[in-house]
């Protein structure tokens, strides 16, 4: 299981060879505050790396969710639609947003590992 991070505070985790799971980081959910709504991508839709794939709204703000890699969405977290607070309570687990079939593994390899992401956060 390999987890990588983006500068936009998304994480992506390859669980198996079929798809990677995408969500927002602890830092992102903390900055947003209480999440009240999520707009998830459409299953079957393809995104390019960096393209807006969804929106998360909180009591403080709305933020775009960017696709960390190019690929096709193969599943969305329906539980998040009915309980958006999962993005706050378990952002790296049950609060995941969507699963994507990666079309270019080189894009995944270019993302930050945990120490690099921690260094980004330390810079402020």
């Amino acid at each position: 299981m390999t987890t990588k991070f983006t500068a936009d505070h998304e994480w992506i985790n390859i669980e198996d060879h079929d798809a990677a799971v995408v969500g927002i980081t602890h830092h992102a959910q903390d900055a947003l505050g209480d999440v009240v709504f999520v707009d998830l991508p459409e299953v079957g839709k393809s995104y390019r790396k960096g393209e807006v794939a969804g929106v998360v709204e909180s009591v403080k703000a709305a933020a775009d969710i960017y696709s960390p890699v190019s690929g096709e969405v193969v599943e969305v977290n329906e539980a998040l639609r009915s309980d958006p607070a999962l993005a706050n309570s378990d952002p790296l687990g049950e609060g995941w947003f969507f699963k994507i079939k990666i079309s270019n593994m080189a894009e995944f390899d270019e993302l930050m590992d945990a120490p690099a992401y921690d260094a980004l956060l330390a810079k402020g």
Side-chain angles (χ1 to χ4, degrees):
M1 186 161 85
T2 303
T3 303
K4 299 274 192 144
F5 300 88
T6 72
D8 295 311
H9 309 290
E10 287 94 17
W11 58 266
I12 180 168
N13 180 4
I14 296 181
E15 290 184 332
D16 57 45
H17 297 292
D18 291 332
V21 183
V22 177
I24 61 173
T25 65
H26 279 289
H27 175 80
Q29 69 81 26
D30 191 46
L32 283 166
D34 294 335
V35 174
V36 295
F37 175 78
V38 294
D39 182 16
L40 299 171
E42 184 181 323
V43 172
K45 184 161 182 181
S46 293
Y47 293 91
R48 290 185 310 277
K49 178 182 179 177
E51 195 171 10
V52 174
V55 176
V56 59
E57 294 181 14
S58 73
V59 293
K60 289 199 252 182
D64 290 332
I65 303 300
Y66 301 97
S67 183
V69 294
S70 299
E72 178 185 340
V73 174
V74 295
E75 186 179 344
V76 296
N77 186 355
E78 293 296 341
L80 201 56
R81 286 192 211 270
S82 57
D83 187 7
L86 286 171
N88 293 118
S89 62
D90 193 10
L92 300 176
E94 295 300 313
W96 61 275
F97 280 67
F98 60 93
K99 294 184 181 180
I100 190 166
K101 184 177 177 100
I102 300 173
S103 61
N104 182 351
M105 276 305 293
E107 291 176 348
F108 178 82
D109 294 337
E110 292 167 358
L111 296 171
M112 289 180 273
D113 60 12
Y117 182 69
D118 290 342
L120 174 77
L121 294 178
K123 289 180 189 172

